[in-house]
Amino acid sequence: MANKQAKPYPLRLEPELAQWVKDKAKADARSLNSQINRFIRKIKELEEQQKQQAA
């Protein structure tokens, strides 16, 4: 099955936050999009772990 590219999503970040994410992406040799996805995935995993521990 072919990999479908996700539709663009206009994300507006506060300038200070955007610069922080850009700096993190550059330090990790990642694209800005990849870094944002990584952060969101990590938060999701942490949230899921917390739900499991609470159960």
Side-chain angles (χ1 to χ4, degrees):
M1 179 161 62
N3 225 358
K4 291 185 179 181
Q5 188 171 1
K7 292 182 182 179
Y9 181 83
L11 178 64
R12 294 184 298 267
L13 297 174
E14 297 171 5
E16 184 179 318
L17 184 56
Q19 188 60 53
W20 178 79
V21 176
K22 287 177 188 176
D23 292 344
K24 288 290 192 179
K26 186 175 181 178
D28 291 346
R30 297 177 184 271
S31 69
L32 180 61
N33 187 70
S34 176
Q35 190 71 31
I36 291 169
N37 273 284
R38 183 173 177 251
F39 286 158
I40 294 172
R41 190 177 307 110
K42 242 184 172 6
I43 292 167
K44 181 180 180 276
E45 289 170 0
L46 287 171
E47 194 173 281
E48 290 170 350
Q49 286 175 1
Q50 289 173 347
K51 284 181 183 178
Q52 288 177 353
Q53 290 174 355

